[in-house]
Amino acid sequence: MVSPLDWLLGLFSLDVGIDLGTANTLVSVRGKGIVINEPSYVAVDRKRGNQVVSVGREAKLMAGKVPKNIQVIRPLRDGVIAEFEITEAMLNYFITKAHEQSFVPIPRPRVVVGIPSGVTEVEKRAVYDATMEAGAREAHLIEEPTAAAVGAGLPIGETRGSMIVDIGGGTTEVAVFSLGGIVISRSIRVAGDEMDEDIVQYMRNKYNLLIGEGSAEKAKIEIGSAYAMVEERTMVLRGRNLITGLPESREVSSIEIREALQPSVEIIVDTVRDALDETPPELVADLMESGICLAGGGGQLNGLAERITREVNIRTWVAEDALTCVARGAGRILEDYDNLRRLLVGLERGSTHH
């Protein structure tokens, strides 16, 4: 039975969907769409008891350029919370910012948060607790591949099969759906961050050049690819020569960056292949018609759809606005809460129920 107070809170409160990502946090507000898309970075002052200095885009710009007392932290690693209190502060900041943009008089929102499908009960509890501590009135969890599929508009509630490959910063989620449930799923901790690290290691090994994660990410976005490009490109990467210790610039080609990305791309392709290998044949027949949907920031890697299409013999396509699929999916679940709440992974009184 819903109390009159809860009914009133539900009528006026803010409904927020959050993609709490390793690389970026996106916030969707019911009726407004995506209102926040910022890097998952927090800068804290160690001398002042981890006082938060800045969050999001501003904190990321500070990375590698701060005095000793300031530390720039990514509080999530591989899709899970590594720094609980700092994640809570980051969530609080984003929820408050979303609230300020929405002019809702009651400050405690109902929140749906996307989590990787392979996380443990302890990791689920950490996300739930951090969301509640950050000021949520209700917190609900949804597995990221489900949220991504809803956000991408896949017909996951139908009998015919749907498949999504959601490549974020810390995890890649592969899932096959039918009748509103996940039939086969895979979650691996190889995604955008690993690709950046591949480029850092490649430049170190081939050119003795140490570059930063930011430079590696820029190279991945601008000239990175998983399949031969129609027109190969080049760009200049700057860093420190590990032998001389002096600054140095190197022009690298998209062919070299593709070679650097090969280990991570191969693991992702093998994971898709393994998932298909365990998918019932009737659903595989459906997928040959509907195709495989790529979501997440990593899903936008140039040529990845073509590479997967060639490797598994099923047409692969990139979702519209792939980066925001999880946040949009969480938002859609709030908009149609009564019909879609069965997709949520709930936490109540210390227990998990489906």
Side-chain angles (χ1 to χ4, degrees), residues 193-209:
D193 288 350
E194 288 288 326
M195 293 181 191
D196 297 343
E197 185 57 34
D198 285 343
I199 294 170
V200 171
Q201 288 301 322
Y202 183 89
M203 296 302 293
R204 177 194 284 264
N205 295 338
K206 186 168 184 180
Y207 295 115
N208 290 311
L209 186 68

Side-chain angles (χ1 to χ4, degrees), residues 15-66:
D15 282 348
V16 175
I18 298 177
D19 175 7
L20 188 61
T22 305
N24 295 283
T25 296
L26 291 89
V27 179
S28 170
V29 171
R30 186 174 65 171
K32 293 179 75 93
I34 305 291
V35 296
I36 292 168
N37 178 0
E38 294 205 36
S40 301
Y41 282 73
V42 181
V44 297
D45 190 334
R46 291 297 194 194
K47 280 187 178 175
R48 296 185 178 179
N50 287 348
Q51 181 182 328
V52 175
V53 177
S54 66
V55 178
R57 195 167 289 107
E58 196 176 296
K60 185 178 182 180
L61 290 172
M62 294 167 69
K65 303 175 184 179
V66 291

Side-chain angles (χ1 to χ4, degrees), residues 82 91 98 140 290 347:
L91 272 171
H140 302 280
S290 61
L347 280 176

Side-chain angles (χ1 to χ4, degrees), residues 201-265:
Q201 288 301 322
Y202 183 89
M203 296 302 293
R204 177 194 284 264
N205 295 338
K206 186 168 184 180
Y207 295 115
N208 290 311
L209 186 68
L210 180 63
I211 64 170
E213 284 182 9
S215 297
E217 183 184 28
K218 189 177 180 185
K220 175 185 70 180
I221 292 168
E222 291 190 10
I223 65 169
S225 64
Y227 198 71
M229 300 168 78
V230 175
E231 190 177 320
E232 302 291 353
R233 301 196 294 265
T234 63
M235 74 177 290
V236 174
L237 287 176
R238 297 178 177 86
R240 186 176 75 245
N241 186 296
L242 290 165
I243 296 171
T244 66
L246 298 173
E248 189 177 294
S249 298
R250 278 277 179 181
E251 186 175 48
V252 293
S253 70
S254 51
I255 297 169
E256 290 176 292
I257 299 300
R258 183 162 61 251
E259 185 184 331
L261 293 171
Q262 177 63 16
S264 292
V265 169

